Amino acid sequence: MLMIRKAVPSDLPTIRTFIEKTELDFVQELIFILVEDEQRELIGVVGIQEIQNIGLLRSLVLVPHFPVEKIVTFLESILQIALKTNYKSLYLATNNKGSIRLFQLLGFMEIEQQELPLELKLSTAVEAFVEKSDIFFMWKTL
């Protein structure tokens, strides 16, 4: 059975190591949500960056052997935690065109970069994506 929970400060070194095994950057200021297996080993993590009252999903990392049938459960848990955090909406950027359908099933809609809220456009997190042509933005009202 998988355990999904909000990270606590003592989890940060493990999260850093987990994320830095990929090409993604570790940003300590994020709210992290973890997935652990039965042995309490970290098998997935996502960060949520708060930009005013908007949540921006960042650094979604899953181990290669993550149970495919549990991905939706993990993503639904992320949405519940974001809702409890009182974000009015949740945004994400992906370069994986294949993940778009999965997020659409969870109620996310594609959005053009120029339609992003101003506070997101001005954030350093989104500025990093602005010049890339293979990035897709999505959003969901909570």
Side-chain angles (χ1 to χ4, degrees):
M1 176 158 173
L2 300 182
M3 183 165 83
I4 301 169
R5 64 179 177 84
K6 207 169 174 181
V8 295
S10 61
D11 293 318
L12 292 179
T14 303
I15 294 169
R16 174 188 292 274
T17 301
F18 190 78
I19 289 175
E20 288 179 347
K21 289 179 183 176
T22 69
E23 295 178 8
L24 300 175
D25 293 325
F26 173 78
V27 179
Q28 186 164 330
E29 295 77 25
L30 303 181
I31 295 169
F32 289 101
I33 301 164
L34 311 177
V35 182
E36 296 170 321
D37 64 14
E38 294 82 8
Q39 292 77 38
R40 296 194 49 107
E41 291 292 322
L42 183 61
I43 62 168
V45 66
V46 68
I48 303 177
Q49 181 174 355
E50 183 173 345
I51 301 170
Q52 294 183 18
N53 57 352
I54 296 172
L56 176 64
L57 291 181
R58 299 194 48 183
S59 306
L60 173 60
V61 180
L62 304 173
V63 294
H65 63 275
F66 192 95
V68 175
E69 69 277 7
K70 299 293 185 182
I71 291 174
V72 171
T73 302
F74 179 42
L75 295 175
E76 287 173 338
S77 296
I78 294 165
L79 294 177
Q80 289 304 312
I81 291 170
L83 188 61
K84 290 177 185 173
T85 310
N86 293 321
Y87 297 126
K88 69 176 185 178
S89 55
L90 203 54
Y91 286 78
L92 64 92
T94 183
N95 63 352
N96 182 348
K97 193 166 177 80
S99 67
I100 291 174
R101 182 72 185 126
L102 174 63
F103 284 105
Q104 286 173 332
L105 291 171
L106 294 167
F108 281 83
M109 295 178 286
E110 285 188 75
I111 185 171
E112 295 296 325
Q113 180 179 317
Q114 60 268 23
E115 298 175 83
L116 292 171
L118 184 59
E119 53 266 48
L120 278 183
K121 286 182 189 177
L122 297 176
S123 74
T124 56
V126 173
E127 280 181 353
F129 300 121
V130 169
E131 295 181 18
K132 297 183 179 181
S133 61
D134 63 340
I135 298 295
F136 304 93
F137 291 96
M138 301 186 80
W139 75 285
K140 175 182 176 66
T141 300
L142 298 175

